[in-house]
Amino acid sequence: MKTAHIRLAAAACGLLMALQSVTVARAASSFDPDYYASHNQDVAAACGNDKASLLRHYIQFGAAEGRKPSLWGKAGDTDLKLTDEQIAAVWSPVPLEDLANYKSLKRKMTDEEFKRAYEEARKIVAPLAFKSRAEQLQGIASALRAMVDDGTVVYSTDAPHYNDAYGYLVNHVASCAGCTRTTGLCLNILGIPYEHVNENQWSHQWCRVDLDGTYWICDAYGLYCGPEPAPYQHPYL
């Protein structure tokens, strides 16, 4: 699907999946509920020793108030390094059957294949659950692009499931349509609806997302994640 354009964009932009952001060379703060409770008596009075309640308080209020999440954590840090158990305690992904773009995403996958793709996508988005919408889009695009750059995913327009998330996340083959549906699955799990641009057309495809009135492109294959220059205009194609 206009593979020459994709290659040209890649050559011109290199690893532009910096995605208009700068990677900060520091470790994310961990969250220690015991520390948080003992150093914030007002919070402990309201939340007690419940670990999930303490973490939820920090995410919703504590970070903005400049509180420290742990002994070695940075005050007000929103880039927390959470364990799977901590994430599960305070965040629930959108269930598969409630995905906003369910019909488009499922395509020709069986129920079991769709469940498998959903679980793989959930692993990608779980660490992004408490970030801003822009950071979530950038994180998804970065994670999916990394699978291409390290050789895990290979471009194809004829392999089984090349145009759905099962192809990308399980079979590891995909066209831009498959990349778009995989991106869309990740977005939907986070509760973010999207528009599949050029769906079912022999043309480059990507996700278009409304971020508070500004439309963004989220396109790992097209090496771009950011505001669209004009409606439905991709900056590199």
Side-chain angles (χ1 to χ4, degrees), residues 13-206:
C13 304
L15 295 181
L16 187 69
M17 281 325 275
L19 299 169
Q20 299 187 330
S21 66
V22 178
T23 301
V24 181
R26 68 167 179 82
S29 298
S30 61
F31 181 80
D32 181 346
D34 294 330
Y35 173 91
Y36 194 64
S38 65
H39 285 74
N40 297 279
Q41 295 300 315
D42 58 329
V43 178
C47 299
N49 294 318
D50 183 73
K51 296 180 180 180
S53 295
L54 290 166
L55 174 56
R56 193 175 294 110
H57 180 279
Y58 179 80
I59 293 170
Q60 295 177 341
F61 308 108
E65 294 168 353
R67 301 180 192 251
K68 289 185 64 176
S70 59
L71 176 61
W72 302 109
K74 179 182 177 182
D77 198 352
T78 57
D79 186 22
L80 292 179
K81 182 179 181 180
L82 301 176
T83 66
D84 291 342
E85 182 180 6
Q86 287 175 322
I87 292 172
V90 294
W91 174 69
S92 297
V94 174
L96 185 150
E97 61 273 13
D98 294 334
L99 297 175
N101 298 72
Y102 181 97
K103 184 176 180 180
S104 172
L105 290 169
K106 189 171 191 292
R107 194 141 177 95
K108 296 181 180 180
M109 284 186 280
T110 65
D111 290 343
E112 288 305 313
E113 288 168 341
F114 200 9
K115 290 178 182 177
R116 176 74 184 279
Y118 174 93
E119 287 304 316
E120 294 300 318
R122 185 185 60 78
K123 295 174 187 176
I124 292 173
V125 303
L128 306 172
F130 308 112
K131 295 184 180 295
S132 69
R133 282 296 193 235
E135 290 172 325
Q136 288 174 340
L137 266 66
Q138 292 168 344
I140 290 168
S142 290
L144 297 183
R145 182 66 205 184
M147 295 175 68
V148 176
D149 291 337
D150 69 12
T152 299
V153 174
V154 177
Y155 185 89
S156 175
T157 58
D158 53 21
H161 294 286
Y162 74 90
N163 58 1
D164 64 38
Y166 189 84
Y168 202 103
L169 297 174
V170 181
N171 290 349
H172 297 149
V173 291
S175 66
C176 61
C179 182
T180 299
R181 289 193 174 93
T182 305
T183 301
L185 177 57
C186 292
L187 292 168
N188 271 190
I189 290 174
L190 288 169
I192 307 173
Y194 69 95
E195 180 182 354
H196 186 145
V197 177
N198 296 326
E199 185 172 16
N200 300 324
Q201 297 182 33
W202 197 253
S203 181
H204 186 62
Q205 302 173 30
W206 63 87

